[in-house]
Every structure is written in structure tokens, then in C-alpha cells.
Amino acid sequence: MKALQPISHAVADYYTRQDYEDDQFAKGKQLHPELMDALATYADASTTFSAELDLQNDAAQREKLKMLERGEGRTREYYRLAMMLDAKKIADALEEDQFDVPRVTALLDGFNRLSDEAHAKVADQEPGKLTWNSFETAAETFRRQAKARVKRVVEKTPYSKLEQGWLNSPSLAPEGSSRKLLNTYNALVSESNRE
């Protein structure tokens, strides 16, 4: 970031001030390779940092889950956290079109069992029954979309021409696409954060 910041500011100033009109883009051409190098270095460092941050966060969440179960048992908070950890694994595993089908099937089966157990044990508790119901609804939508994703990839169901245009759409992503799964995962995260 320290290397990227000065060059990005120089480029921003150059274009904001429209200095390219004075030198026929000479400085822009000079700054471009420096900017691209700094961006590439930053992107690599950011990817590495994000991956490590994810690992550390997941480990902390798993430790918190153990502490919750030891201290309070399987409460709503326990189930919410456990389901979110499982949902993240599923979403990550189904991001690409190539994935380990038996592993994903096992992850989905585990998510189903955990979700069913949570429903049986904590769904009717007050206070918070309505909020938990919203979380369960989002979890069910995520579960259905994960199954649709597996089915589409396993059966090699192609996207229609219309669906291809919607693949990156937040609202129109087709059934069984990685974008649709991401949308439902993000909705589940939002519901989880309301707890």
C-alpha cells in the first residue's frame, strides 16, 4: 500500500487536472508501468493477507464454537455460529465449476443435520423466535441453492443464452450459478448478523 499510494495519487492528479492535454499523455505513459507494477504487488500482498486473515478468523470462530458448547451447551448462538462456519465451507467449495462432489455432498449433509437439530432444539424459544425464524429461512434458501449448484455442475447443465447474460447479476443470477449461491450466502450472513 505504501508503494501504491504515491503512484496512484500522481496518476489521479495527472488525470483530474487534465495534464494529459498538455503533454499528449507522455506522463501517463511513463506512470502506467509503475502503476501496474505497484497494483500487481498490492494485489498479490492483499490476496495473501486475505487468505491468512480468513484462516485466522476461521480458527478463532472454531475455538469460540468449542467454548460456547463447553460453557453453555448448544444454544442459538452455538447453532448460528456452527451453521455459518459450515455455510462458508460450502460456499467456498462451490465457487468454482470443478469441485469434489463427495466432499461437498458430505458438507451439505452435515449442514442439513445441524440445521435440523437447531430447528428441533431452539426454533421455538422466546425471546427471539421471529429473528431465528428469519435466519432459518435464509439458511434453507442457502441449502436449496447449494443443492441446485451441485446439480447444475454435476449434470453439466449449460446456461441458456439469456442466463449467460445474467451470470454476474446480483438480482438475476440463474439457478445453480456460483453468483446465485453467493447471493444467498450473503443474505444468510446478513440474517446471522442480526442475531
Side-chain angles (χ1 to χ4, degrees):
M1 187 62 134
K2 287 180 182 178
L4 179 60
Q5 190 174 13
I7 188 71
S8 63
H9 284 285
V11 169
D13 289 347
Y14 178 73
Y15 285 101
T16 302
R17 295 173 184 159
Q18 299 177 339
D19 290 343
Y20 53 85
E21 293 177 350
D22 301 330
D23 69 357
Q24 290 71 47
F25 291 96
K27 186 173 181 179
K29 291 175 185 175
Q30 172 202 348
L31 293 173
H32 182 77
E34 293 175 51
L35 178 63
M36 292 296 102
D37 286 346
L39 278 171
T41 300
Y42 174 77
D44 290 345
S46 178
T47 299
T48 301
F49 179 77
S50 292
E52 182 60 29
L53 188 60
D54 273 350
L55 288 172
Q56 295 292 327
N57 185 55
D58 289 351
Q61 295 297 318
R62 284 191 300 276
E63 188 58 35
K64 180 178 179 181
L65 190 65
K66 288 177 191 174
M67 288 173 43
L68 281 170
E69 187 171 25
R70 277 194 306 259
E72 302 171 16
R74 291 191 170 203
T75 62
R76 273 195 185 145
E77 186 178 1
Y78 170 87
Y79 285 116
R80 182 192 55 77
L81 181 57
M83 289 170 67
M84 292 309 300
L85 286 167
D86 285 359
K88 183 175 187 272
K89 284 183 205 170
I90 293 166
D92 288 347
L94 292 175
E95 188 174 348
E96 301 298 326
D97 286 339
Q98 300 290 325
F99 52 82
D100 181 344
V101 175
R103 176 178 175 265
V104 169
T105 301
L107 288 171
L108 278 168
D109 289 345
F111 186 82
N112 291 342
R113 282 190 304 277
L114 187 62
S115 180
D116 291 346
E117 180 184 323
H119 181 76
K121 292 190 176 184
V122 300
D124 291 328
Q125 292 176 355
E126 289 289 359
K129 181 177 175 181
L130 191 58
T131 305
W132 180 259
N133 182 268
S134 295
F135 174 73
E136 280 190 319
T137 300
E140 184 59 34
T141 302
F142 172 78
R143 178 186 356 202
R144 282 193 316 270
Q145 198 48 235
K147 287 173 64 176
R149 175 83 178 129
V150 171
K151 182 178 180 186
R152 179 169 279 240
V153 172
V154 168
E155 294 179 1
K156 296 181 171 72
T157 306
Y159 296 104
S160 70
K161 197 157 193 81
L162 186 60
E163 287 176 324
Q164 288 175 20
W166 294 342
L167 281 172
N168 293 317
S169 170
S171 59
L172 300 173
E175 192 78 11
S177 67
S178 60
R179 179 57 192 236
K180 181 84 168 189
L181 181 64
L182 178 62
N183 293 347
T184 59
Y185 174 71
N186 287 339
L188 179 59
V189 169
S190 292
E191 286 299 328
S192 175
N193 290 339
R194 289 180 58 203
E195 278 288 306

